[in-house]
Amino acid sequence: MNQNLYALIQSRIPADTLKPFLVLPTGRTVSYADMDYWSAKFATVLADAGVSPGDRVVVQTDKSPEAVMLYLACLRVGGIYIPLNTAYTPSEVEYFLNDAEPVVLVCRPKSLEALSDIATHAAVKQTFVMDADGSGTLTEAAAVAAPIEDIVECETDDLAAILYTSGTTGRSKGAMLSHGNLSSNARTLHRLWAFEDSDVLLHALPIYHVHGLFVALHCALMNGSTIHFLDKFDPETVIRLLPTSTVMMGVPTFYTRLLDEPGFTSDVSKNIRLFVSGSAPMLAETHVQFTERTGHKILERYGMTEGGMITSNPYDGDRVPGTVGPALPDVEVRICNKEGTPVAAGEIGVLEYKGPNLFKGYWRMPDKTAEEFRADGYFISGDNAIMDAEGRVSIVGRDKDLIITGGYNVYPKEIEIEIDQMDGVIESAVIGLPHKDFGEGVTAVVVAQAEASVSEKDIVDALKGKLARFKQPKKVYFVSELPRNAMGKVQKNALRETYAGTYGS
Ligand code: MCA
Ligand code: AMP
């Protein structure tokens, strides 16, 4: 049987193929028949551009139905889809192009000038543009292309996508995800979260990360559901569309922003069957406020790029604030000490997991891959967690030096490297501090040379154009020295305590 994820998706197209698949706030509608037909036309364009099974396709575009069709087209031809955050600067994209060596690049028209030389150096064979409304050279080529007939035959372990996740050394690592990884998670979540024929998904997440691209989109595709497809999270539009939706997925910032809106009431959300949150910890107090306001209990789940979804609070049963529920039915989770020995129930350790969801390693980084796997195949997540006697997991912190801001991951090392290179700077430590809106706010603590006159603005200006906006510090502090322990290691915990009130929470 063909294990290509698109074969599974195609098998779930509803009998009424004219059923709306994507409905935009503008009223534009793309049916399931359109999805199948246009993804086949986009697939022809990719194949004509030289994309063969195993070739990479790098995509940095806005969220549009055409961008979804491009993803599905890439699956159809057996290409490896590599979506990039639209906030990444050309210098960040340069790294990804050199590392992934794609055959095709699809970018926004406004990025073409900055990216074309970079693409040429990275030996990209063909570059297409796609604008926010889906128009551009790729769609023009698809319009005159014949729809491809076949779906490339794939094995479970063949790669479908590479998603870059930043590394502790400051170098991004490409997590290789197979057709089997994606389809197992899609089937499991579709079943576990009890999707129904009548479901309508409200989709306001970006489609370059696991949450929006795989978790949300795949659940709807497994179910042949209609999606309210928003180009970004905008509380007003969400509140307008909730009454005609039944499922919404989001990062905690979506929910805290909704709670800030007086117009977000129990009446607005009475048609909703399921609110899902993940990608970052949701405060227990947000859960409580949400229930008080709407009567709904948000279902919190836990995942990561390397494994998609790993645990989930139950659909039926107790959803406990501050916990992320038990392992998914086909995933094995254990909590271990540094040596990889499981700790007792209730004790803190590092969460490790394995299952059909677990990725195939980091692209062209066999050593890094080996470091993060145990001999028995478990992957070391880097998240500190506790499991109770019933198997319910709570994420209590991170063993890895990682900041999560509004659901985006930021590895401090990447920013510290840039700041440390600046004239007049001796060293820096980048930390995440409690932030009401983003959960954590990226903050830099800098030691400058005594004679130098480096200001907060100098630091922020120097990072502009180099790092995506969401990675840039929202506040910079200057100190004469960084606190260190006896081993000489910077004590980021002490810094986090000192500056805890920076963003007023
Ligand atoms: C935007 N800014 C941010 C962020 N987003 N700063 C820090 N963190 C962010 N996440 C910057 C903007 O550039 C702007 O800067 C200023 O902050 C305010 O922007 P605003 O208009 O408020 O932002 P927005 O456009 O409304 O976006 C906020 C957002 C968005 C809606 C929370 O960041 C978002 O959609 N996040 C979802 C991320 C996600 O999908 N994560 C899933 C990863 P300036 O004013 O200076 O221009 S998948 C994952 O983690 C795993 C696998 C899992 O478990 O799901
Ligand atoms: P990513 O690099 O996007 O795969 O981010 C994965 C990380 O997000 C995990 O390793 C966790 O640290 C964090 N994460 C995801 N979901 C949750 C959650 N519900 N609670 C706490 N942390 C979470």
Side-chain angles (χ1 to χ4, degrees):
M1 203 177 113
N2 188 357
Q3 299 300 326
N4 189 312
L5 172 62
Y6 191 77
L8 173 64
I9 290 172
Q10 198 180 49
S11 73
R12 303 290 181 105
I13 291 177
D16 172 11
T17 59
L18 295 180
K19 178 174 177 180
F21 164 46
L22 304 174
V23 181
L24 275 61
T26 55
R28 182 181 167 200
T29 299
V30 173
S31 69
Y32 270 90
D34 294 335
M35 174 208 88
D36 198 41
Y37 178 67
W38 277 91
S39 63
K41 285 161 84 68
F42 278 111
T44 299
V45 179
L46 292 180
D48 289 350
V51 178
S52 298
D55 285 338
R56 277 78 59 207
V57 175
V58 168
V59 176
Q60 190 190 34
T61 60
D62 296 294
K63 186 175 170 185
S64 67
E66 283 72 14
V68 173
M69 253 89 85
L70 170 58
Y71 162 56
L72 300 175
C74 193
L75 293 176
R76 293 180 89 125
V77 298
I80 302 176
Y81 187 72
I82 307 182
L84 298 180
N85 193 322
T86 46
Y88 292 153
T89 62
S91 61
E92 289 173 299
V93 174
E94 182 172 15
Y95 168 81
F96 299 119
L97 291 181
N98 287 327
D99 191 57
E101 298 186 310
V103 169
V104 162
L105 165 68
V106 185
C107 68
R108 298 184 285 182
K110 65 179 176 196
S111 314
L112 186 61
E113 200 185 323
L115 290 180
S116 47
D117 280 353
I118 295 173
T120 307
H121 281 122
V124 171
K125 284 204 191 118
Q126 202 162 343
T127 299
F128 294 96
V129 293
M130 186 181 276
D131 217 339
D133 63 0
S135 65
T137 51
L138 188 79
T139 305
E140 283 159 20
V144 294
I148 214 162
E149 282 177 15
D150 298 331
I151 300 171
V152 161
E153 200 71 32
C154 285
E155 302 291 336
T156 310
D157 284 347
D158 289 340
L159 297 187
I162 295 176
L163 266 70
Y164 278 92
T165 120
S166 308
T168 40
T169 56
R171 246 187 100 199
S172 290
K173 303 170 289 185
M176 300 188 287
L177 297 158
S178 68
H179 287 263
N181 291 149
L182 302 182
S183 53
S184 70
N185 227 228
R187 287 178 203 268
T188 301
L189 297 175
H190 174 248
R191 202 174 50 244
L192 198 70
W193 294 341
F195 271 78
E196 298 167 3
D197 281 351
S198 54
D199 274 329
V200 175
L201 175 76
L202 196 155
H203 192 304
L205 287 156
I207 53 168
Y208 37 68
H209 285 310
V210 165
H211 200 162
L213 182 63
F214 300 147
V215 184
L217 208 55
H218 289 175
C219 276
L221 284 165
M222 287 303 97
N223 205 55
S225 285
T226 297
I227 300 179
H228 280 308
F229 196 68
L230 279 58
D231 60 351
K232 64 182 290 247
F233 179 81
D234 163 50
E236 242 177 68
T237 315
V238 169
I239 289 170
R240 183 162 61 77
L241 295 174
L242 275 173
T244 50
S245 311
T246 64
V247 180
M248 177 177 141
M249 299 186 192
V251 297
T253 301
F254 285 17
Y255 293 108
T256 52
R257 286 190 180 183
L258 280 175
L259 284 169
D260 283 343
E261 296 290 322
F264 179 61
T265 59
S266 64
D267 208 35
V268 161
S269 52
K270 71 169 187 271
N271 199 39
I272 295 287
R273 176 178 74 72
L274 179 64
F275 284 108
V276 178
S277 176
S279 307
M282 176 170 264
L283 295 175
E285 94 192 34
T286 307
H287 278 282
V288 172
Q289 280 175 16
F290 199 87
T291 305
E292 278 172 7
R293 179 83 69 89
T294 65
H296 285 281
K297 283 194 166 179
I298 295 174
L299 182 154
E300 187 169 356
R301 71 0 171 233
Y302 156 80
M304 64 191 300
T305 301
E306 290 88 338
M309 296 303 98
I310 300 159
T311 74
S312 168
N313 267 285
Y315 181 71
D316 289 315
D318 274 352
R319 298 179 195 166
V320 182
T323 76
V324 292
L328 299 189
D330 51 354
V331 178
E332 290 168 69
V333 170
R334 66 187 185 192
I335 313 295
C336 292
N337 63 18
K338 294 264 183 243
E339 286 71 46
T341 309
V343 298
E347 275 183 29
I348 297 182
V350 175
L351 187 145
E352 300 185 359
Y353 63 96
K354 69 174 176 182
N357 57 330
L358 182 55
F359 78 138
K360 302 292 154 198
Y362 297 112
W363 172 252
R364 293 180 178 165
M365 288 187 180
D367 295 344
K368 266 265 146 230
T369 304
E371 272 171 31
E372 299 190 26
F373 276 88
R374 297 285 179 201
D376 58 1
Y378 275 84
F379 179 72
I380 307 163
S381 72
D383 289 309
N384 291 327
I386 294 174
M387 191 189 277
D388 69 15
E390 281 81 49
R392 190 183 281 122
V393 173
S394 304
I395 306 296
V396 295
R398 287 173 213 136
D399 198 39
K400 50 194 174 190
D401 192 13
L402 162 72
I403 300 169
I404 306 184
T405 170
Y408 289 142
N409 287 11
V410 176
Y411 276 84
K413 192 79 198 161
E414 192 184 351
I415 301 147
E416 289 161 3
I417 289 171
E418 293 293 345
I419 297 179
D420 293 355
Q421 280 171 7
M422 286 181 60
D423 286 345
V425 168
I426 297 175
E427 62 173 344
S428 63
V430 170
I431 51 174
L433 296 175
H435 190 291
K436 190 176 174 301
D437 188 28
F438 291 124
E440 288 181 87
V442 177
T443 310
V445 184
V446 175
V447 182
Q449 284 162 359
E451 65 285 6
S453 59
V454 190
S455 68
E456 176 164 19
K457 185 170 178 307
D458 294 335
I459 305 269
V460 172
D461 285 350
L463 297 177
K464 276 188 191 145
K466 285 192 179 155
L467 296 176
R469 181 71 192 95
F470 69 87
K471 297 181 191 170
Q472 295 171 22
K474 299 213 182 283
K475 174 79 195 155
V476 181
Y477 288 106
F478 290 91
V479 294
S480 55
E481 61 180 346
L482 295 173
R484 291 182 189 276
N485 65 14
M487 312 289 287
K489 194 169 180 277
V490 175
Q491 289 178 296
K492 290 197 168 180
N493 274 343
L495 291 173
R496 281 189 281 265
E497 264 174 43
T498 306
Y499 299 111
T502 299
Y503 304 109
S505 19

